[in-house]
Amino acid sequence: SFYILYKLTDFGAARELEEDQQFVSLYGTEEYLHPDMYEKAVLRKPAGKTFNATVDLWSFGVTLYHVATGNLPFRPYGGRRNKETMHFITTKKASGVIAGTQTSENGPIDWCRDLPINCQLTAGLKKHVTPLLAGLLEVDSQRIWSFDRFFTEVTNILNRKLMHVYNVNKIQSLRIYLHPEDTYDEFQLQILEQTDVPVENQILLLKDSHFYGIIKKSTPGRMYPQTEETKPIFLLSNDLNSNVAFIPEREIPKFPEFPSHVSVENDASIAKTACSVGHVCKQRIEKYSKCSQLTHDCVQMFNVVVSNELTSVLNKNNSLRTSVNESTETIVECVVRGQRSVQNLTGSKSSSHVDWKRHLESLKKKLVDDLTLSIQQLHTKHVSEQALSEEWSNLVRDKECLTKTRAAARSRTYIERLRESWQHLLRDRATRPLTFNDQQFHVLEKIKITEVGRTLRSLLESEVIPSITQLADCLADWYKMAQTVYVKARILDKDVDLFQGRLDSFVKEVLEVDINFHKGVGLRGKVPGAGRVRGQELRAFLASIRNIKNDQQEIAGILSENLELLAQFNQLTEPLRGLGQDY
């Protein structure tokens, strides 16, 4: 990846000053001057004021706003002709206001605390740039930022971790600027700010797994994995009522029309405007082409995640069935057999062992009928048979991805043609007057600009936008099915955990009753007739005691095996420990 670094330099009328050093000389473009300097230099009022270096912060704020939006922040009706209104706008604006515009003569001022809709900055960056502008565009010398404050805030912005996120439900790329110490909770809250997807409904995927499985909740942002625009974190919503919708951006300006006669001055300006409109078209086409590819990538990744979760749930369920069929059943058998031996010796009667067996059989039936069958059916359909993948393939079978149609590459070719024609018209303007032949070539370039512009706009409006809209419709249909499968898998996983809890409680209850049973036997004292027992009866009694001891040893061995199974079970549940984070 790479980035472009812009550097502003203008030392034509510069002099070095300390931050608190005063000066009285006035240089600068009037729209960029601090209001106090504007009053003296433009309105020619005897202000009687000296200035220090902080007035440059105001000028830099104006420059930064101009770069971000393409317009000056303070614009009276009539521009420079309306100097008094310009001074009024800059001096009477409230603290925190970063723009003021007058659209009619003597009309009201439209104040604004936020960057305009047409600003090309992402929502994530606007969040940090807007307070920066508000701190620079302060008239009050007590409120305007110092240079130290300005450089500190800029450094903080530059040190933030850029996280690329693709919101699949809105076919929208996001940029989250994460503070180096922000954790997973802050990351989710920043996603919420830009998407309105509640934290509890966010499904975040990266590298074929849940993002919370890659990092810990306490991991600071500086240690988050690198993301790219083409390899972002995918955001989906597990809210069954959420919709997939593609919302086109605001309408693009129309390509300008050339007059029929040759005017080298105007034709070059019109050609430049045509190139600007063409670039906007190209940017949209490139953006939607990336969204098209990312949507396909997300569907593929979500398929993998759902398959992995269903496989994990199936493995957990199989382990649980093994625990029920082997360990738990053997424990119940041993307990019942031991109690029978003691009851035979003491002559007492009890039917408690019948209850245990019935309870265990009821648990086993519920496990097989309610859980195992549902899990196996879901796994067979969506893992073995790949039903979700097949459904997506059927939906987009006749809808080619924009990256395969090379729409973005074609748009770049058209832009090059526009630029070449514009450069030709610029040369004509520099070498006028034109010969007859040069005029014919000049007219030809104008025709080429018109035709290429029409073709470029048609590519966007007749091919790219319909394609991405149809893809969003396909995604909406597919995601309803995929989302249902995903939610079912999470519910079944939770049900397996609940059943494991019930089984653990059952075993604990059996063992507690067994302990109490043997304590009761000890409290009842000697076995009746034990003082006059015959040799054969004594041997039978001792054999029974040995059987009980052996049964207890067997129970201890089974419990040890059961603990090993539980340890293996915990390893299987490790990938799904974060269930509460996105369910």
Side-chain angles (χ1 to χ4, degrees):
S1 61
F2 66 93
Y3 67 95
I4 299 173
L5 178 63
Y6 293 95
K7 295 185 178 180
L8 293 174
T9 59
D10 183 6
F11 299 116
R15 56 179 292 195
E16 185 175 354
L17 293 174
E18 297 298 328
E19 187 166 349
D20 57 350
Q21 186 177 347
Q22 306 293 309
F23 69 95
V24 294
S25 56
L26 300 174
Y27 288 98
T29 306
E30 58 185 75
E31 288 86 358
Y32 295 82
L33 292 176
H34 184 279
D36 290 344
M37 296 182 69
Y38 187 92
E39 183 179 27
K40 183 176 181 180
V42 179
L43 299 182
R44 304 295 182 182
K45 293 184 178 180
K49 296 180 180 179
T50 59
F51 314 102
N52 57 34
T54 56
V55 296
D56 284 341
L57 289 172
W58 172 283
S59 300
F60 190 79
V62 175
T63 303
L64 185 59
Y65 186 97
H66 198 173
V67 170
T69 66
N71 292 307
L72 292 166
F74 309 113
R75 304 192 304 276
Y77 180 80
R80 288 188 174 185
R81 293 186 293 103
N82 203 343
K83 301 182 186 301
E84 292 291 342
T85 303
M86 177 67 173
H87 187 251
F88 173 83
I89 293 174
T90 55
T91 55
K92 300 303 180 182
K93 79 176 191 66
S95 177
V97 170
I98 62 173
T101 307
Q102 186 185 45
T103 57
S104 61
E105 189 172 1
N106 298 323
I109 310 300
D110 296 327
W111 306 106
C112 191
R113 295 177 179 270
D114 300 307
L115 289 165
I117 296 176
N118 66 339
C119 175
Q120 296 298 304
L121 299 182
T122 63
L125 192 54
K126 283 181 181 180
K127 174 184 175 182
H128 302 293
V129 171
T130 301
L132 184 68
L133 290 170
L136 296 176
L137 298 175
E138 279 287 358
V139 183
D140 190 341
S141 60
Q142 301 301 316
R143 288 182 173 179
I144 191 170
W145 285 4
S146 64
F147 278 98
D148 286 342
R149 172 76 182 276
F150 169 66
F151 289 126
T152 298
E153 293 298 329
V154 170
T155 302
N156 288 338
I157 294 174
L158 294 176
N159 286 339
R160 286 181 173 269
K161 179 90 171 189
L162 172 57
M163 301 297 294
H164 293 277
V165 178
Y166 183 63
N167 181 9
V168 185
N169 290 71
K170 299 301 179 185
I171 318 293
Q172 177 187 30
S173 291
L174 311 173
R175 292 190 178 191
I176 305 295
Y177 292 86
L178 202 61
H179 189 277
E181 300 305 319
D182 280 349
T183 59
Y184 189 70
D185 289 339
E186 284 81 14
F187 180 51
Q188 287 192 294
L189 288 174
Q190 289 199 45
I191 292 176
L192 170 62
E193 289 179 3
Q194 293 194 39
T195 64
D196 293 331
V197 178
V199 169
E200 62 274 14
N201 294 134
Q202 293 176 13
I203 304 173
L204 299 175
L205 308 178
L206 181 67
K207 298 179 181 178
D208 292 340
S209 63
H210 286 279
F211 187 59
Y212 62 73
I214 298 176
I215 53 97
K216 297 179 180 178
K217 289 198 70 174
S218 59
T219 301
R222 67 177 183 277
M223 298 179 65
Y224 275 26
Q226 293 291 340
T227 58
E228 300 175 17
E229 193 172 6
T230 56
K231 296 179 181 178
I233 295 171
F234 289 112
L235 166 68
L236 303 98
S237 172
N238 63 15
D239 182 3
L240 293 174
N241 295 319
S242 63
N243 297 318
V244 175
F246 168 68
I247 303 175
E249 297 182 53
R250 57 191 177 84
E251 188 176 355
I252 291 176
K254 294 182 178 179
F255 276 91
E257 296 182 359
F258 287 97
S260 57
H261 61 279
V262 173
S263 173
V264 291
E265 186 71 35
N266 291 337
D267 289 348
S269 298
I270 293 173
K272 180 180 179 181
T273 303
C275 284
S276 300
V277 177
H279 272 284
V280 176
C281 290
K282 179 183 75 76
Q283 289 170 356
R284 294 277 178 90
I285 292 169
E286 290 176 332
K287 179 179 180 179
Y288 294 154
S289 295
K290 289 176 183 176
C291 288
S292 177
Q293 183 62 55
L294 289 175
T295 300
H296 283 277
D297 292 345
C298 181
V299 168
Q300 182 179 355
M301 187 178 294
F302 194 61
N303 269 325
V304 172
V305 170
V306 171
S307 296
N308 290 343
E309 296 217 354
L310 286 173
T311 300
S312 179
V313 173
L314 181 65
N315 291 338
K316 283 176 65 175
N317 183 72
N318 290 340
S319 177
L320 186 57
R321 289 179 64 191
T322 301
S323 175
V324 171
N325 292 334
E326 295 179 4
S327 304
T328 307
E329 188 171 342
T330 305
I331 289 172
V332 171
E333 288 292 339
C334 290
V335 168
V336 170
R337 190 163 62 245
Q339 290 184 9
R340 279 178 175 169
S341 297
V342 173
Q343 289 166 3
N344 290 335
L345 288 171
T346 60
S348 62
K349 295 182 178 180
S350 175
S351 61
S352 63
H353 60 277
V354 177
D355 295 332
W356 294 132
K357 287 189 174 182
R358 286 179 180 174
H359 193 175
L360 181 58
E361 289 300 321
S362 175
L363 282 174
K364 288 169 64 177
K365 187 175 186 303
K366 183 173 181 60
L367 175 62
V368 174
D369 294 349
D370 294 353
L371 275 178
T372 302
L373 185 61
S374 298
I375 292 172
Q376 288 177 342
Q377 288 177 344
L378 211 58
H379 185 273
T380 299
K381 183 175 182 180
H382 297 291
V383 178
S384 302
E385 299 176 359
Q386 292 289 305
L388 284 177
S389 296
E390 188 67 25
E391 178 67 16
W392 178 251
S393 297
N394 291 333
L395 286 169
V396 299
R397 192 178 304 280
D398 58 342
K399 300 171 182 64
E400 200 168 16
C401 180
L402 286 173
T403 54
K404 294 183 179 180
T405 66
R406 304 188 74 251
R410 287 151 57 197
S411 71
R412 288 190 287 271
T413 299
Y414 294 141
I415 285 297
E416 283 301 315
R417 292 178 184 175
L418 285 176
R419 189 176 182 281
E420 289 172 0
S421 295
W422 170 47
Q423 292 297 313
H424 187 108
L425 297 188
L426 281 178
R427 289 193 297 270
D428 287 349
R429 184 171 66 179
T431 58
R432 56 188 173 182
L434 302 178
T435 65
F436 176 79
N437 287 339
D438 288 339
Q439 286 189 11
Q440 300 308 305
F441 283 116
H442 183 95
V443 171
L444 181 60
E445 294 301 330
K446 289 167 57 175
I447 295 173
K448 285 169 61 176
I449 290 175
T450 300
E451 291 301 318
V452 171
R454 185 181 296 115
T455 303
L456 181 57
R457 192 179 189 97
S458 177
L459 174 61
L460 172 64
E461 296 178 345
S462 302
E463 182 178 333
V464 173
I465 291 180
S467 176
I468 196 71
T469 302
Q470 291 173 7
L471 183 65
D473 293 339
C474 292
L475 180 64
D477 294 336
W478 178 85
Y479 191 58
K480 288 178 183 177
M481 177 180 175
Q483 189 182 37
T484 301
V485 176
Y486 176 82
V487 172
K488 282 183 179 179
R490 307 298 286 196
I491 291 174
L492 288 171
D493 180 74
K494 201 171 185 180
D495 288 345
V496 171
D497 290 340
L498 290 173
F499 189 90
Q500 178 66 47
R502 291 179 60 187
L503 184 63
D504 292 342
S505 299
F506 171 73
V507 172
K508 182 179 179 181
E509 185 180 359
V510 171
L511 295 177
E512 286 180 350
V513 170
D514 183 58
I515 291 171
N516 293 332
F517 172 81
H518 286 90
K519 284 182 179 179
V521 171
L523 291 174
R524 286 197 291 271
K526 296 180 179 180
V527 177
R532 50 183 185 277
V533 66
R534 292 175 298 186
Q536 184 177 0
E537 293 173 337
L538 180 60
R539 286 192 295 273
F541 176 75
L542 292 174
S544 298
I545 295 300
R546 283 194 295 272
N547 289 336
I548 293 173
K549 184 178 180 180
N550 291 335
D551 287 343
Q552 290 178 332
Q553 290 175 345
E554 186 177 354
I555 290 173
I558 292 168
L559 287 173
S560 178
E561 294 176 0
N562 200 26
L563 287 174
E564 292 181 5
L565 285 171
L566 286 174
Q568 296 174 9
F569 180 83
N570 286 332
Q571 291 178 356
L572 289 170
T573 61
E574 184 66 28
L576 297 172
R577 284 283 175 87
L579 173 62
Q581 297 183 33
D582 66 345
Y583 175 67

